[in-house]
Every structure is written in C-alpha cells, then in structure tokens.
Amino acid sequence: MAKIKLTKFAVDELRDTLVPGFLCKITPAGRTVFMLQYRTNAGERRKPALGQYGELTVEQARSLAQVRRGGDPAADKAPTVKELCAKFMDYSRQRNKPSTQKGYQSVIDRNIIPMIGRLKVRDVKRPEIAGMMEKMAHKPADANRTFGVMRRMFNLTEVWGYRPDGTNPCRHVPMYPNGKATGLGERRGQRLILARNLLETLCGREVAAAAQTIATDTGLEHRPVGDSQRVSGVGERGVG
C-alpha cells in the first residue's frame, strides 16, 4: 500500500494519478465527493462535482471524469476493422460454404484490412467507404465485391452492438455499373430520344445487379455469357 505524508491537503483532497484533474474531496459536512478540476478555454478554473462516494464507485467516477475531459473509456475497447474482419470470418464459417468463406477472406486480405483495418469500427464513416471505392476505380468488379462484403460486415456491427442501428457507412455509396454502361436516351434540344435497345438495356441491368448480389453472397465470380453461348448446370439458392 502506498504511503504519503499526512497533511490537511492530503486528508481533505485526494487526487487521482490516472486521470488529470480527477479528485476525491471530503466536504466540511463529512461527505466524500468525486470532483473534476479543469480550466476552460478562457482560463477560468472549474471544479464541478461528479457524485458522492457510495452513489458512485471509484471506477465509475473515474470513467465519468474521463468522459467529461473529452475522452471515452469505451473507445479504447472498441474493436478495429481488422478485429471485426476476424469475427466476421468466424461468423461466416458457421453459416457459409468453404468457397464463400474463401471469397470473403480474399477480399478482406486484399482490400479491406490494408485500407481501413486500423480504424475503429465506429469511426468508419461514409467518406471512408466512398474513398475506398474511388481507389479501386481501376478494378470495378473487385471494388463491388469488396463493397458487398463490407456492407454485410457493417450490418452485423449493429447486431453485435458495435454501432447504433441504421448507421451502416455503406448506405448511399454507389457501386460501379457491371460492364460497359449503355445510355437510356439523349436529349436533343427540347426532345428526348430514347435508345432503341432501351428494354434490353434495362433488363440487362436488372440481371447484372442480381448476378452481382449473388456473386457477393456466394463469393463466386460472375462470368457473363454471350447470346450464342450455352450454359449448363444446377443452381440452388435458399429464400427466407
């Protein structure tokens, strides 16, 4: 047990060595009160009470003092994106096929961890996701696969309590179009001329979007086929 010289100051007021300004004071009425001493930006000295001993434990009062000083004890324990990826893969192993797991892990190792792995999960915002997509503009298919994995991971952060509901940073961040984009029409003066292949283009985009979603969910590569090519095989997909 640490020893100190007993003085009026030491008896009346005990200061913490972990959080600057956090102290415990004995009032003239004999109450033991936790307080936080600090100076404002204007240089004024403040020492508000945090609560009484008994109503708060020492640890609770210290955490409250840290928050009041602008820190957050919980932030130090919040997982990083790299740690989130590890938990996501554990989750995936219980629910997905080996091929899907392999696809997820490849995307995580290749793109997610190198780009945002050190960030705290709750600190990832929409600009970080949009910035990742922009950096991968030269490989749009890979960017879309990476985006799909991130979207699923950040959905789970809300389930696991790492982020508040409705805060997935992938929301409203656009994916890249699949293949070469085809216009639906063009404006000529006051007239709008629709493309001749309008229905074909719209159907193609719907199919491409569905294919991309399936590729993201399964981890398998989407390989478009031409009109004269044949495709055979059996596909299975659960709905529920």
Side-chain angles (χ1 to χ4, degrees):
M1 179 179 294
K3 297 180 180 180
I4 62 173
K5 180 180 178 180
L6 292 179
T7 64
K8 183 179 185 302
F9 177 80
V11 172
D12 290 347
E13 192 172 280
L14 298 176
R15 292 180 174 268
D16 190 38
T17 59
L18 299 179
V19 178
F22 174 50
L23 58 94
C24 180
K25 183 178 179 65
I26 300 177
T27 69
R31 293 183 301 171
T32 303
V33 181
F34 295 112
M35 309 181 81
L36 177 64
Q37 180 177 311
Y38 63 94
R39 288 187 180 274
T40 67
N41 292 334
E44 298 177 0
R45 185 179 176 183
R46 300 283 175 82
K47 192 160 62 173
L50 301 174
Q52 293 187 45
Y53 177 69
E55 297 175 352
L56 293 174
T57 65
V58 175
E59 288 301 323
Q60 289 173 334
R62 181 181 288 117
S63 295
L64 183 58
Q66 191 171 347
V67 172
R68 292 282 183 88
R69 286 183 58 85
D72 187 352
D76 296 333
K77 301 178 182 179
T80 62
V81 173
K82 183 177 181 179
E83 292 168 337
L84 171 64
C85 289
K87 182 166 184 176
F88 175 75
M89 287 308 303
D90 288 340
Y91 175 88
S92 178
R93 291 185 189 98
Q94 302 173 18
R95 292 165 175 79
N96 300 120
K97 298 178 181 178
S99 58
T100 302
Q101 299 170 31
K102 184 178 179 181
Y104 287 163
Q105 191 66 64
S106 177
V107 165
I108 287 171
D109 293 340
R110 187 172 62 253
N111 297 324
I112 298 177
I113 291 180
M115 292 186 183
I116 60 172
R118 295 183 179 182
L119 295 179
K120 295 287 188 180
V121 168
R122 63 193 208 169
D123 291 338
V124 179
K125 303 294 190 298
R126 196 171 299 158
E128 280 75 33
I129 303 300
M132 287 184 64
M133 295 296 284
E134 184 176 352
K135 290 178 181 178
M136 294 185 287
H138 62 289
K139 47 180 182 179
D142 193 34
N144 287 344
R145 282 193 291 270
T146 302
F147 181 83
V149 175
M150 290 193 299
R151 182 170 54 193
R152 295 197 68 180
M153 283 202 306
F154 280 103
N155 278 339
L156 288 170
T157 63
E158 300 177 15
V159 177
W160 294 333
Y162 296 154
R163 295 177 65 104
D165 289 347
T167 62
N168 190 326
C170 295
R171 293 181 62 192
H172 307 303
V173 176
M175 297 174 67
Y176 289 103
N178 192 300
K180 184 178 179 180
T182 304
L184 302 180
E186 61 178 313
R187 182 173 296 279
R188 296 179 183 176
Q190 299 297 320
R191 294 187 301 167
L192 177 63
I193 308 300
L194 298 179
R196 293 182 179 180
N197 60 345
L198 176 60
L199 293 179
E200 180 182 348
T201 299
L202 291 174
C203 290
R205 290 184 179 181
E206 289 290 334
V207 172
Q212 184 61 57
T213 299
I214 295 173
T216 299
D217 290 343
T218 63
L220 301 176
E221 181 183 0
H222 172 222
R223 299 179 180 177
V225 297
D227 294 338
S228 61
Q229 293 179 292
R230 292 185 177 183
V231 178
S232 61
V234 177
E236 181 177 338
R237 182 179 178 85
V239 178

